[in-house]
Amino acid sequence: MDTCNEYWEQALTILEAQQNISALAFNLYIKPIVPISMSSNVFTVKVQYDFVKEIIERKFLNYIEEALLFINKGNQMSLKIITGNEQPETEENPEEIKPVQPVENNINFRMPNGLMPRYTFDNFIVGTNNQMAHAAAVSVSKNPGTSYNPLFLYGGVGLGKTHLMHAIGNEVYKNNPNAKILYVSCETFTNEVILAIQKHENEQFRQKYRELDLLLLDDIQFISDKRATQEEFFFTFNDLWQNGKQIVITSDRHPSAIQNLTDRLMSRLAGGLPIDIGYPNLETSVAILRNKAETQGIKIEDEVLQYIAESVKSNIREMEGALTTVIAYSKLITNHNSVITLDIALSALKNTINSFKPEMSVEYIQNVVANYYNFTTEDLCSKKKTKDLALARQVAMYFSRKLLNSETLVSIGKKFGGKDHSTVMHAIELVGRKMEENPDFEVQVTDIEKLITGK
Ligand code: ADP
Ligand code: MG
């Protein structure tokens, strides 16, 4: 299957192993690239910001095109990068463009009601961590509106809340294709509320929600601090609930830990007995990975799955990511049918596992800033004082202070090769002032902050 996504996955594997691209640069600039489409000689991708596009074109274009050349068996493809809201141009010869993935193969396919068919009970592995949540979800899907209402599932990132939520929706849909179901993220819900208020379309908004049989609201923790959305949700909730309609809600924390929730909404949310999903143990993690590999028809040794599960603890999404990397890498270097061994997995993952967990620290900030300005961290910590270098150093100091509460002027100075606290203070003032005076510099600093925080 030579789809655009598959090409890009292979390209990532090659680029990650490329000696001339540091793990940091890879994670900052290359990993976030999104493949869009490909024609016979143009590969189109998208990045969020113009400045990232510039950096990629300046530093990595050759490497990326080289990787594509290799994957495309020696046929050249040029890379076209679009940003933000730009739409891909229509090519002269539209039939040549291959879609990113045909719908039926696209695992991220969504139905109009927001449901993702790929998340079902069949491919949800039950372990001690999610047994209760699974049982409740099954029960709700069999008899919506009767047992747990609302069903409130909570737990850490990547532990299967969204999966279970879609599984309920898919099961209800299977049993009753006429049921009115809607999956909505809290973010979308909030946007709809705001838009309805702006356009004076509150009535249409309410109508849409009140006619549902099953409402699935994902990640409700984002409702904290949003009064209007809370109000609207409270009324929607009551309406559905009083009419015996099922409501399923997920959150990364217990209702009582969601800040600034109105009391009445809080008591509604907690009313249906919140159930938590915990961290999977090794056995469950391995079973999840095995299931995922098997559905793709991939042969993989058990010790590989164990290695992945042990190395990438506590987040199933990341575990799956590591497995995907191993599979893509193995396709690249071996015959497609051979079994994936631990050796293959080790080389596929040597750059990802344990080596890149950006923990916010002075060192990390120095790395990002140095990389941005084409210096090294040693330069930043040196006594050299060329104008450009001094500025880069000051920016790094500025962010060390701004983003790290535990660092003081003194401790920051020390980590920049033993500078005085007054030097750090001066740097912070200078960067602040320069940002006010010079809009271009301000943009630069904002860009760097996005790189550092990953937002
Ligand atoms: P959350 O919403 O809790 O952040 P997701 O539901 O998005 O997490 O799950 C992250 C990934 O892990 C998804 O691809 C999901 O299919 C997978 N996953 C999580 N738990 C399980 C499980 N018990 N069995 C199979 N896959 C799972
Ligand atoms: Mg989720």
Side-chain angles (χ1 to χ4, degrees):
M1 200 178 54
D2 59 348
T3 63
C4 174
N5 277 347
E6 182 129 333
Y7 264 50
W8 188 246
E9 243 171 48
Q10 294 189 16
L12 282 182
T13 316
I14 295 176
L15 292 165
E16 194 164 14
Q18 165 65 253
Q19 298 281 317
N20 295 323
I21 303 176
S22 68
L24 178 85
F26 179 82
N27 281 289
L28 283 179
Y29 302 114
I30 299 189
K31 223 167 144 189
I33 295 174
V34 181
I36 301 289
S37 65
M38 68 186 206
S39 68
S40 58
N41 54 8
V42 182
F43 197 95
T44 307
V45 298
K46 185 167 178 167
V47 298
Q48 203 174 355
Y49 305 109
D50 287 333
F51 79 97
V52 172
K53 172 179 168 173
E54 280 162 29
I55 293 176
I56 295 172
E57 285 178 339
R58 191 153 36 85
K59 291 189 175 182
F60 309 115
L61 190 69
N62 290 345
Y63 298 122
I64 299 177
E65 289 188 342
E66 203 175 80
L68 291 170
L69 180 74
F70 173 78
I71 297 161
N72 206 22
K73 304 190 179 64
N75 300 312
Q76 203 141 23
M77 270 196 284
S78 50
L79 186 76
K80 179 169 159 47
I81 307 175
I82 58 175
T83 58
N85 301 324
E86 266 181 72
Q87 290 301 319
E89 278 169 33
T90 33
E91 310 270 330
E92 279 170 21
N93 194 352
E95 52 276 78
E96 259 199 321
I97 309 175
K98 299 176 189 164
V100 173
Q101 274 190 355
V103 164
E104 65 271 26
N105 283 335
N106 186 346
I107 50 166
N108 292 322
F109 173 67
R110 237 175 230 284
M111 301 206 287
N113 57 13
L115 283 182
M116 294 174 79
R118 69 184 276 218
Y119 293 133
T120 62
F121 285 123
D122 286 343
N123 59 21
F124 188 85
I125 306 293
V126 183
T128 43
N129 63 315
N130 57 27
Q131 212 168 321
M132 276 281 289
H134 174 261
V138 170
S139 144
V140 161
S141 71
K142 285 202 177 115
N143 296 304
T146 50
S147 45
Y148 296 86
N149 206 10
L151 174 61
F152 190 103
L153 302 173
Y154 70 98
V157 178
L159 297 181
K161 303 182 294 293
T162 299
H163 186 140
L164 267 185
M165 182 172 242
H166 283 287
I168 296 172
N170 287 321
E171 185 68 22
V172 171
Y173 178 73
K174 198 169 82 186
N175 297 335
N176 175 11
N178 293 324
K180 289 212 170 63
I181 305 170
L182 184 67
Y183 166 91
V184 64
S185 66
C186 186
E187 204 183 348
T188 306
F189 185 82
T190 304
N191 290 340
E192 285 184 16
V193 170
I194 295 169
L195 212 65
I197 295 173
Q198 278 172 358
K199 292 181 149 180
H200 307 288
E201 287 176 354
N202 304 39
E203 230 5 83
Q204 289 92 321
F205 171 85
R206 286 178 193 165
Q207 202 49 42
K208 167 178 163 186
Y209 278 88
R210 281 164 202 186
E211 63 183 23
L212 295 176
D213 298 308
L214 170 60
L215 171 60
L216 308 163
L217 181 68
D218 208 358
D219 286 322
I220 201 173
Q221 71 272 10
F222 293 121
I223 209 167
S224 75
D225 287 328
K226 301 196 180 88
R227 281 283 154 154
T229 311
Q230 290 190 24
E231 280 288 287
E232 207 49 60
F233 181 65
F234 180 75
F235 290 122
T236 305
F237 183 105
N238 279 347
D239 244 43
L240 293 174
W241 190 75
Q242 276 157 9
N243 290 310
K245 303 303 174 62
Q246 179 70 46
I247 301 151
V248 181
I249 297 163
T250 70
S251 164
D252 68 350
R253 65 201 74 181
H254 190 275
S256 61
I258 303 177
Q259 280 178 358
N260 297 326
L261 210 56
T262 58
D263 288 345
R264 55 185 193 171
L265 184 53
M266 150 73 185
S267 74
R268 282 292 189 227
L269 296 184
L273 199 69
I275 301 177
D276 75 313
I277 300 187
Y279 293 100
N281 58 22
L282 188 62
E283 201 186 342
T284 309
S285 301
V286 169
I288 292 171
L289 291 172
R290 185 181 301 119
N291 176 269
K292 167 129 177 144
E294 275 169 7
T295 50
Q296 296 178 54
I298 306 285
K299 286 176 251 166
I300 193 159
E301 284 179 358
D302 257 18
E303 57 176 353
V304 174
L305 301 177
Q306 291 210 359
Y307 170 70
I308 295 175
E310 270 172 3
S311 324
V312 193
K313 288 201 190 77
S314 81
N315 183 334
I316 298 167
R317 191 175 299 131
E318 281 177 15
M319 258 184 251
E320 289 185 346
L323 179 66
T324 306
T325 305
V326 171
I327 293 174
Y329 183 79
S330 145
K331 280 187 186 160
L332 204 61
I333 63 164
T334 65
N335 153 350
H336 277 217
N337 288 323
S338 50
V339 179
I340 300 178
T341 61
L342 190 56
D343 276 348
I344 294 176
L346 287 173
S347 20
L349 296 174
K350 67 175 182 301
N351 288 328
T352 40
I353 286 189
N354 295 334
S355 68
F356 189 79
K357 292 214 178 92
E359 216 170 87
M360 196 71 89
S361 64
V362 174
E363 291 72 22
Y364 181 66
I365 291 173
Q366 288 173 341
N367 250 311
V368 176
V369 175
N371 191 286
Y372 182 87
Y373 286 112
N374 270 327
F375 291 114
T376 63
T377 49
E378 287 74 32
D379 291 333
L380 294 187
C381 299
S382 72
K383 295 207 161 59
K384 285 185 257 170
K385 278 192 181 143
T386 60
K387 200 166 148 230
D388 288 351
L389 175 58
L391 186 65
R393 186 182 292 134
Q394 283 156 345
V395 168
M397 287 177 169
Y398 166 84
F399 279 121
S400 301
R401 182 67 178 150
K402 178 174 178 193
L403 301 174
L404 302 168
N405 292 329
S406 57
E407 299 287 348
T408 63
L409 295 176
V410 173
S411 70
I412 293 171
K414 274 193 192 143
K415 290 178 182 166
F416 279 79
K419 308 273 187 307
D420 198 77
H421 77 276
S422 60
T423 308
V424 182
M425 186 135 88
H426 172 70
I428 294 164
E429 283 168 6
L430 187 128
V431 171
R433 194 156 12 99
K434 207 166 148 82
M435 276 168 72
E436 276 172 21
E437 289 165 6
N438 179 345
D440 288 345
F441 179 71
E442 192 194 9
V443 170
Q444 217 175 75
V445 174
T446 325
D447 289 345
I448 297 173
E449 181 158 359
K450 285 181 199 143
L451 288 174
I452 297 173
T453 57
K455 282 176 195 148

